[in-house]
Structure formats: C-alpha cells, structure tokens
Amino acid sequence: MLRKMRRRFIGVAMAAFTTVVLALLLVINIWNYSSITRQQDEILRSLASHETTSPPPPAKNFQTPGALGHFSPEVQYMIRFFTVYTDENGNPTAVNQDFIASISQAEAVEYARQVLQKGSASGYFEKYRYLMESTENGSVIVFLNSEKELRAIHSLLAATAAVAVCCLLMVFLLIVALSNRAVAPYARNMESQKRFITDAGHELKTPLTAISTSADVLAMEYESNEWVQNIQLQAGRMAKLIADLITLSRLDEAQPFPNKAVFSLTDAAWELSEPFSILAEAAHKEYIQHIEDNIQIFGDKTAIQQVISLLLDNAIKYTNQNGKIRLDVIRRKKGAEILVYNTCRIENYKNINRIFERFYRLDEAHNASDSYGVGLSIAKAVIENHGGTICAESEYGNNLLIRIKL
C-alpha cells in the first residue's frame, strides 16, 4: 500500500510538472513561430504591393524607394524572393527571378502550380513563405526565402525540448528522492492504524472468548433460549469481523505473501467447486462452472483460494431464489481470468465498484446478518498484492459479475 501511494505521489507530481513544462514549451514556440511568421508576412505584403503596382518584368526595379514600407533599407539586401505572375485561369505568364539565384524558372512555375492546387492564399511551401495577391489580369504569387527563419524556429523548438527533458529528468530524480519524506506522515498514520487494529483485535479476543464460552455453557442448560442463541450468533459475527480487520491490516504490509510460488489455479479451483455446488443445490440455485485445464500462475495458493471461496459464498448468499451462479477460470495470454457471476437485484448498480470499499454494502446486503462489507475489501487487497486487478460489472442491476485478472 505504501509503495503504491509513493508511486501515485510521484505520478501526480510529475504529471503536474510535465503539464506546466509542456504548456510553457508550447507558448514559447507558438509565440516565436507567430512572431517570425508575422514578420515574414509583413515583408511579403510589402513585396506583393510593390509587385502588383509595377509592370511585369523586366521593366521593374525592386530598389524603388519605399518598396518595403517601414522596414530598414538594408532589408532589401537580406531577403531573397521570386515572383510568379498568372492569368485569370491560373496559367503562369511571367516569372521574376531578379532577387534569387537558387531556383530556376521551371522550378518557380512548378512551385506556383502546387501552391495554386493547395488553394491557400498564404503559407509555407518547402523553405519558402508565399503570399498570393489578385490583380486585374490574374494573380501574383510572391515566394520569400524563409530558410534562415525556419531554421531558427526549429532550433528554438529543439533547444526548448532539450531543456524541458532535462528539467523533467532532474525534477523526477528530486521527487523520487523526496517522495519518502512526502509520504512519511501517511506511512506513520498507516502504521499506527495497523498497530491499533492488531492490538485492539488481540485485546478484544479475550473478553469475546469469555462471552462465547459463557454462552456455550448457558446453551447447554437452556438449549432453546433465543437470547442465548443470539449471544452466540453475535459473538461469532464479532469474532469474524475482528479476524477480517486483522487480515486487512496484514495485507497493507509491504510483502503480505512472502511464500509465493507457481501453482495450478485449475486444481485450486476444483478443490473449492464441489462444496459450493452442493451448497447451491441445497439452496435451490443453479450452479455452473467452467474451469480450463493446466492453468499455472505465480502467487499464494491459499490466498487465491480464499478469494474464490469468498466470492462464491457471496454469490450463493445474495443470488435470488432459483437464480443462477457461474464460476469461470480461463487461461489468457498473460495469465488467467476468474469470473464469478450470479443473478440478483442491485438497486444502486451505477456505483457497483464501491462494493470493494471497506464496510460498503449493496442495498441487498444491508439485511444480511453476517456481513459487515469487509470480505470484498480483503479480496481486492489480495488480488492487488498479486499484481492483478478486480472489478465488478452489472447489467442494469439484474446480475453481478466479479472479474479477476491475474
């Protein structure tokens, strides 16, 4: 339990920190991308404005004063671009390559054709940022070389990702180192609780034994006295509750089952099946079982048998009259599955998995004279200590299926 709590603490802390780091990483990189793209678009708009107001090449001059608007005059020596003119049908009519040397006229026409197919007025295409403007005779597509800007975007993304990974690793190591201190109060509380339950259980056994013995003596003298019988019944219930609480306390230890070994789940299930089939028949309830052969698992045989016995006992106890009970033990690729099914009526079936909480009972169980709602908590603790899972399912409150995966 303590190890599980520590892992959960580490997981929650890392999830929170990872969320913050990823949010910062996204904000920084989105802001950088938007800023660079906005600058590129401003240059493209200035270039497109100049291109659409000037005659087609070659009778045009990029160095016209004010061609780049509010940008520094030095910008014209820092940018590389080319322009493709098209007619109303989207067919290229002219290409201006005066300010770039790394692309041929055929490549420029192909770029324009693919951009026209995309149908977007602006965006990135390979290492270029483009902008499409309509003119009287067609359109002008300006391609601005953004290789340096794209490299800067990728560099910042890689740098921030590397920093984020390093931060996550360092924080993880720090949280792992401090997790024991963080869960220490919980561990002390848990240890005090276990000690109290164990000590109280042992202390209660002495007077309870005396009460039970006295009741037995009285029963020999007054055989049919209902008060004596009630004392015996309640003493038995109290003894079972104390034993269950001590069992739950022990299951919270780090290694409650130190003697785990490989055993035959098939044989373990068969050993339990015959007595329960007789009990079900005596209670006028149908009992069916399907146990596959040669299923081997690693664990504590006695503890697993205790779980199956508990589930079958509950199924017989709470199945409606002439109802149906079924036990399935099935081989799976990575272990085994145990299914215990019974028909019953459950009013609060939407909270069905709460039956594994301590002292929680379904509506039908409130009237059970020998139930405190601890047995399924023991089953859950046993299965989880074997690295398995246990859950409850119900079809509209008409039945109950306990599914165990080992």
Side-chain angles (χ1 to χ4, degrees):
M1 177 66 75
L2 188 60
R3 190 183 304 133
K4 183 178 179 181
M5 177 62 65
R6 184 167 173 257
R7 287 199 298 265
R8 187 177 297 173
F9 170 79
I10 294 172
V12 170
M14 285 303 301
F17 186 75
T18 301
T19 302
V20 173
V21 169
L22 288 178
L24 286 174
L25 187 144
L26 286 173
V27 168
I28 291 172
N29 283 277
I30 290 174
W31 176 83
N32 180 60
Y33 176 86
S34 300
S35 177
I36 290 177
T37 300
R38 187 169 55 252
Q39 292 178 5
Q40 295 290 93
D41 286 342
E42 288 181 10
I43 295 174
L44 277 169
R45 281 193 291 270
S46 298
L47 292 173
S49 175
H50 178 69
E51 294 290 309
T52 54
T53 56
S54 302
K60 62 194 298 301
N61 182 13
F62 171 62
Q63 279 78 6
T64 303
L68 289 177
H70 63 277
F71 289 95
S72 168
E74 298 297 326
V75 172
Q76 62 184 346
Y77 301 105
M78 300 166 59
I79 62 176
R80 298 291 180 267
F81 74 98
F82 64 92
T83 308
V84 179
Y85 298 84
T86 65
D87 58 21
E88 295 178 352
N89 298 322
N91 299 315
T93 57
V95 177
N96 179 13
Q97 302 168 258
D98 293 345
F99 304 98
I100 194 166
S102 60
I103 192 166
S104 65
Q105 184 173 351
E107 289 174 327
V109 170
E110 178 62 21
Y111 279 23
R113 186 186 64 79
Q114 294 192 38
V115 164
L116 288 169
Q117 287 180 351
K118 289 176 66 176
S120 177
S122 64
Y124 282 101
F125 183 80
E126 295 188 1
K127 60 181 180 180
Y128 294 92
R129 180 76 180 172
Y130 68 87
L131 178 67
M132 187 186 307
E133 292 282 352
S134 299
T135 62
E136 295 179 358
N137 300 321
S139 61
V140 172
I141 308 174
V142 183
F143 290 84
L144 178 65
N145 188 295
S146 304
E147 188 174 5
K148 182 176 67 174
E149 287 75 13
L150 290 173
R151 194 183 301 118
I153 291 172
H154 294 153
S155 297
L156 181 63
L157 178 61
T160 52
V163 171
V165 170
C166 292
C167 288
L168 288 173
L169 181 60
M170 289 188 292
V171 170
F172 174 74
L173 296 175
L174 186 63
I175 291 175
V176 169
L178 297 178
S179 59
N180 283 329
R181 183 178 298 180
V183 300
Y186 177 82
R188 286 194 297 269
N189 180 56
M190 217 171 92
E191 188 62 33
S192 299
Q193 182 183 2
K194 287 193 295 183
R195 194 183 306 115
F196 170 77
I197 293 174
T198 304
D199 294 345
H202 289 302
E203 291 297 327
L204 287 170
K205 281 182 179 179
T206 302
L208 190 59
T209 303
I211 293 171
S212 298
T213 303
S214 300
D216 292 340
V217 173
L218 286 172
M220 287 187 289
E221 186 173 352
Y222 305 99
E223 293 183 6
S224 59
N225 188 293
E226 62 177 328
W227 301 107
V228 174
Q229 291 175 355
N230 188 53
I231 291 172
Q232 289 178 310
L233 176 63
Q234 298 304 326
R237 291 187 67 201
M238 184 63 69
K240 185 177 184 302
L241 175 61
I242 292 172
D244 286 346
L245 289 175
I246 293 174
T247 300
L248 272 174
S249 177
R250 289 174 178 170
L251 287 172
D252 286 335
E253 295 176 1
Q255 292 183 341
F257 305 111
N259 300 318
K260 289 182 181 179
V262 176
F263 70 93
S264 172
L265 180 61
T266 300
D267 294 343
W270 274 110
E271 289 174 11
L272 293 170
S273 61
E274 186 175 351
F276 281 102
S277 64
I278 296 172
L279 287 173
E281 184 179 355
H284 305 289
K285 297 172 184 179
E286 181 184 2
Y287 177 81
I288 306 170
Q289 66 181 23
H290 171 66
I291 303 173
E292 294 187 0
D293 296 330
N294 302 320
I295 302 178
Q296 303 282 330
I297 64 169
F298 178 79
D300 188 292
K301 179 180 178 180
T302 303
I304 297 299
Q305 283 186 316
Q306 179 187 6
V307 171
I308 298 174
S309 176
L310 189 151
L311 296 179
L312 287 175
D313 183 61
N314 280 354
I316 292 174
K317 188 184 302 179
Y318 299 124
T319 299
N320 50 4
Q321 195 65 28
N322 300 318
K324 179 179 177 181
I325 302 165
R326 182 179 178 92
L327 168 66
D328 292 320
V329 181
I330 306 168
R331 180 186 295 104
R332 297 301 184 195
K333 290 183 179 179
K334 295 183 179 180
E337 192 171 46
I338 302 170
L339 305 172
V340 178
Y341 169 92
N342 67 283
T343 56
C344 59
R345 183 59 196 162
I346 303 172
E347 297 296 334
N348 194 19
Y349 67 90
K350 291 184 179 179
N351 296 323
I352 190 68
N353 275 296
R354 288 195 63 193
I355 62 176
F356 299 109
E357 297 178 9
R358 298 180 185 185
F359 302 107
Y360 180 85
R361 293 175 295 177
L362 293 173
D363 296 334
E364 285 187 306
H366 284 302
N367 297 324
S369 60
D370 57 348
S371 173
Y372 284 105
V374 180
L376 289 176
S377 299
I378 294 176
K380 185 174 188 290
V382 169
I383 297 303
E384 288 182 347
N385 274 289
H386 280 77
T389 60
I390 182 170
C391 66
E393 303 171 12
S394 179
E395 293 180 2
Y396 304 105
N398 295 318
N399 51 50
L400 176 64
L401 173 66
I402 306 294
R403 184 187 301 274
I404 297 173
K405 294 182 179 179
L406 291 167

